[in-house]
Amino acid sequence: MELDLRKVRYFVAVAEHRNFSRAAEALHIAQPVLSRQIRALEHELKARLFDRDNRGTRLTPAGEALLEDARPLLQAADAARRRVRDVAAGRRTFTIGFAPGLIITPAVRELSRRHPDLSVEMSRTDWLDQSDAIREGRVDVGYLRLPADRHGLAVEPLLSEPRVVMLPADHRLAGKEAVTVADLAAEHLLQDPDDVPEWRDVALEPQEPGQAAPPLRTVEEKLEHIAAGNGVVVLPKSVAAFYTRPDITHVPVHDIAPSRVCLAWDASRRSPLIREYVEIVLEAARS
């Protein structure tokens, strides 16, 4: 059975809006048309995807299962369309996603040397979109800092590096050669505690019901909170070195797991350029 991508796109819109009227408005189609398309998809799959009652529209277990696969499927289709349009327009590009603190220049230069007609582009990513950038086709290959969502991705481990704690320059621990996670037990962590389970296990900070950390998306936002004395952040050493500023310092933390970096790409793609770039990076890492 072949899935109709248009119906799948309609399904995802309803799943995200939890409302047929709002989904139809977002899709710029009439609600009866949307309802017919969803019924046709359910008929093709022989499964009910939504429960609708006076409380609203909810995904069934079958709908939840489809949604998990539908988003990567649509992302891959959109990426394929972009690649085809680029080739048809005479553009031959290869885009690499990278995170701050990582030096990728030697591999980029080697790929460019081997393919002078290829436009090699670089796109900075962050922790929140590093995996999506690959699945959505915005980059052909990306450097991921783990942990990361690796669903649908092929990965090659590259390196690991120690992690440090970022502190205000006048902090009681500033200037020390190293600290332990126990030294940080009384600090407020400005990131997801699951990123630093060693801190989570010893933290003295009360975990009150409903208490939520501020929505800090970027490292720059975290640094402003650190400088203001609102908390600390544990980062890979190279990231800390990249974001040098006079009112913040960093100190190694001896007893937490190192940060791991891998190279990742869409597992469904069979691009010779991706394979070649991966080999270039791995050869450089071995030497």
Side-chain angles (χ1 to χ4, degrees), residues 10-11 13-15 17-27 29-39 42 49-52 56-58:
Y10 289 173
F11 160 77
V14 177
H17 286 87
R18 293 292 199 272
N19 182 282
F20 274 75
S21 296
R22 289 196 294 270
E25 183 178 350
L27 293 166
I29 61 175
Q31 182 178 335
V33 174
L34 177 59
S35 297
R36 284 197 301 270
Q37 293 294 318
I38 295 299
R39 284 197 299 270
E42 290 176 324
L49 302 175
F50 295 102
D51 284 327
R52 300 172 69 181
T57 301
R58 301 185 307 280

Side-chain angles (χ1 to χ4, degrees), residues 178-258:
V179 297
T180 67
V181 71
D183 294 325
L184 306 175
E187 302 295 331
H188 174 61
L189 197 68
L190 295 168
Q191 65 197 108
D192 187 341
D194 287 342
D195 292 343
V196 194
E198 298 91 344
W199 175 88
R200 182 193 59 204
D201 293 340
V202 302
L204 301 179
E205 187 173 86
Q207 302 297 313
E208 299 177 4
Q211 185 182 40
L216 306 179
R217 177 181 174 84
T218 66
V219 174
E220 289 87 350
E221 290 174 347
K222 294 182 176 72
L223 295 183
E224 291 301 329
H225 280 267
I226 294 169
N230 296 333
V232 302
V233 171
V234 174
L235 293 175
K237 184 178 180 180
S238 64
V239 177
F242 181 84
Y243 286 102
T244 300
R245 49 187 283 180
D247 53 353
I248 292 176
T249 188
H250 62 268
V251 179
V253 186
H254 274 333
D255 52 350
I256 60 173

Side-chain angles (χ1 to χ4, degrees), residues 260-273:
R260 293 178 295 140
V261 176
C262 68
L263 198 62
W265 61 98
D266 187 331
S268 67
R269 293 185 61 190
R270 298 293 181 267
S271 165
L273 275 176

Side-chain angles (χ1 to χ4, degrees), residues 165-179:
V165 60
M166 303 285 283
L167 306 162
D170 58 355
H171 193 276
R172 61 184 176 84
L173 299 175
K176 288 186 173 294
E177 291 187 6
V179 297

